[in-house]
Amino acid sequence: MSATLSRQRKRIADPAFRWFVTLAGASVFVILAGMVIRTTNDAWPIFQYTGFFDFLTGDQWLAGSSRTDSDFTGTYGAWPFIYGTMVTALIAIVIALPLALCVAFYINQLAPKRLRNPLSYSVEMLAAVPSIIFGMWGFFWLLPHVLRPFLEWLESTLGWLNIAGWKPFEGPVFGSSYLAAGIVLAIMILPIITAIVREVIAVNPVDQQHAAYALGATRFEVMRKVVLPSSFSGIVAASMLGLGRAVGETVAVMMLIGSTKNWDGSLLSAGDSMAAHIAARFGEATPETTKALMAIGVVLFLFTMIINIGARLLVWRIGRVSGDAAV
């Protein structure tokens, strides 16, 4: 009797479990579709009013005061915020990724065993620090005591630099700037990238490394020619996760970028980003401006989608090339 009941429970449990996990997986698509449809529907009147490409490329943002869905009085060009998002995120990933690789290699390959666990725990704790803490620390201490003197030194030393008409370090220096926000973003995403890269490197096959050592490779050669290629997909995933946080970061960027609607080629100039502008203006926005801010949110979502698709294509392309080379 008990054996029969057990078999009946198994017959019920397996289909129930299968349906449960299927619904859980499908819920991701439902939530994603709901977010896209709702935000796009709210932003659609703005896209019709300005034109989608004019909204992306326009550099004038003058919020209107209309409270109807059909009458718009403002001018909406999101390019200054798109530019600020791209610049700060690029600065952050350029600084954070090499440092994260070095820290991960040190913890896994070079650090004494007694230091590996404390260093790993420290990295994971930094990854859990709320962004507002980074923003306050960056604005009240790092910016006046470290970043502003550093930016002034850059302006005095490299302010003359001209790259095909682009002057990246042209002054004046006000403190809050693209570069200041990008540096703090780099500090924020460094623990996330480091933690993931360290885990990826830790599961790298040890026998391949020992084989390389047996053939006379140095430690640097093993890291460069064995560990890095086999960990490439994980490193790209970690980079995209860090880049996604940099692109969507709100409070820290809002405190450090300057929050101006102007955009300038100099990295020492103040600007704004998509997420920071939404957070700063949403509370006081009129219904018309709220729709415009929703339109920025749609663009930000598309931006992150393009980043993730590009990362997938990069991993696929590198894997294909590596496979062809192996053959």
Side-chain angles (χ1 to χ4, degrees):
M1 187 68 177
S2 61
T4 303
L5 288 174
S6 178
R7 285 195 296 269
Q8 290 177 350
R9 289 171 182 165
K10 289 181 179 179
R11 293 194 190 102
I12 296 173
D14 287 344
F17 177 73
R18 183 173 63 252
W19 279 106
F20 176 77
V21 296
T22 301
L23 290 174
S27 66
V28 176
F29 295 101
V30 173
I31 294 171
L32 182 63
M35 291 172 58
V36 173
I37 292 171
R38 181 61 186 177
T39 54
T40 304
N41 181 67
D42 290 340
W44 192 251
I46 291 294
F47 292 143
Q48 289 182 316
Y49 170 65
T50 62
F52 181 72
F53 291 102
D54 290 336
F55 181 82
L56 294 180
T57 59
D59 59 0
Q60 294 294 321
W61 183 278
L62 300 172
S65 57
S66 173
R67 296 184 176 275
T68 66
D69 292 338
S70 58
D71 183 23
F72 296 100
T73 60
T75 302
Y76 301 104
W79 174 249
F81 316 126
I82 298 173
Y83 175 81
T85 301
M86 291 191 298
V87 169
T88 53
L90 184 61
I91 292 171
I93 199 68
V94 166
I95 295 173
L97 181 56
L99 290 176
L101 290 174
C102 293
V103 174
F105 275 126
Y106 176 74
I107 293 175
N108 283 344
Q109 304 287 337
L110 301 176
K113 290 184 179 180
R114 65 180 181 275
L115 292 180
R116 290 181 185 178
N117 286 337
L119 285 173
S120 300
Y121 296 150
S122 299
V123 169
E124 292 168 1
M125 287 179 63
L126 278 174
V129 173
S131 60
I132 183 63
I133 303 300
F134 283 104
M136 294 175 62
W137 170 73
F139 183 78
F140 290 109
W141 186 83
L142 190 67
L143 181 61
H145 295 93
V146 178
L147 291 183
R148 188 180 179 94
F150 173 67
L151 298 182
E152 291 174 347
W153 176 82
L154 278 179
E155 192 274 335
S156 62
T157 306
L158 298 175
W160 55 268
L161 187 62
N162 190 327
I163 306 173
W166 176 46
K167 298 180 179 180
F169 304 113
E170 185 180 27
V173 176
F174 297 106
S176 297
S177 60
Y178 297 118
L179 188 55
I183 291 173
V184 173
L185 278 179
I187 297 172
M188 290 179 59
I189 67 176
L190 176 62
I192 300 174
I193 301 176
T194 302
I196 299 175
V197 171
R198 189 192 66 81
E199 293 291 340
V200 170
I201 293 175
V203 299
N204 190 267
V206 179
D207 55 348
Q208 295 182 9
Q209 300 178 43
H210 290 171
Y213 284 126
L215 292 174
T218 64
R219 178 171 289 177
F220 174 74
E221 290 173 335
V222 170
M223 292 180 185
R224 184 170 63 89
K225 296 183 179 181
V226 177
V227 178
L228 269 181
S230 61
S231 305
F232 179 77
S233 59
I235 293 172
V236 171
S239 303
M240 292 304 104
L241 184 61
L243 185 59
R245 182 174 183 184
V247 167
E249 179 51 42
T250 305
V251 177
V253 174
M254 185 173 63
M255 297 176 71
L256 290 157
I257 199 171
S259 298
T260 67
K261 299 182 182 67
N262 299 321
W263 65 283
D264 195 330
S266 175
L267 301 180
L268 306 183
S269 300
D272 211 343
S273 72
M274 289 186 279
H277 186 73
I278 293 172
R281 303 289 180 257
F282 198 82
E284 59 186 24
T286 62
E288 175 186 345
T289 309
T290 300
K291 293 183 182 299
L293 296 177
M294 294 294 288
I296 295 179
V298 173
V299 175
L300 181 60
F301 178 79
L302 292 175
F303 196 69
T304 56
M305 287 289 292
I306 291 171
I307 291 174
N308 283 297
I309 292 172
R312 292 289 182 181
L313 292 175
L314 178 62
V315 172
W316 173 78
R317 178 62 179 170
I318 295 297
R320 183 177 178 183
V321 171
S322 300
D324 292 343
V327 173

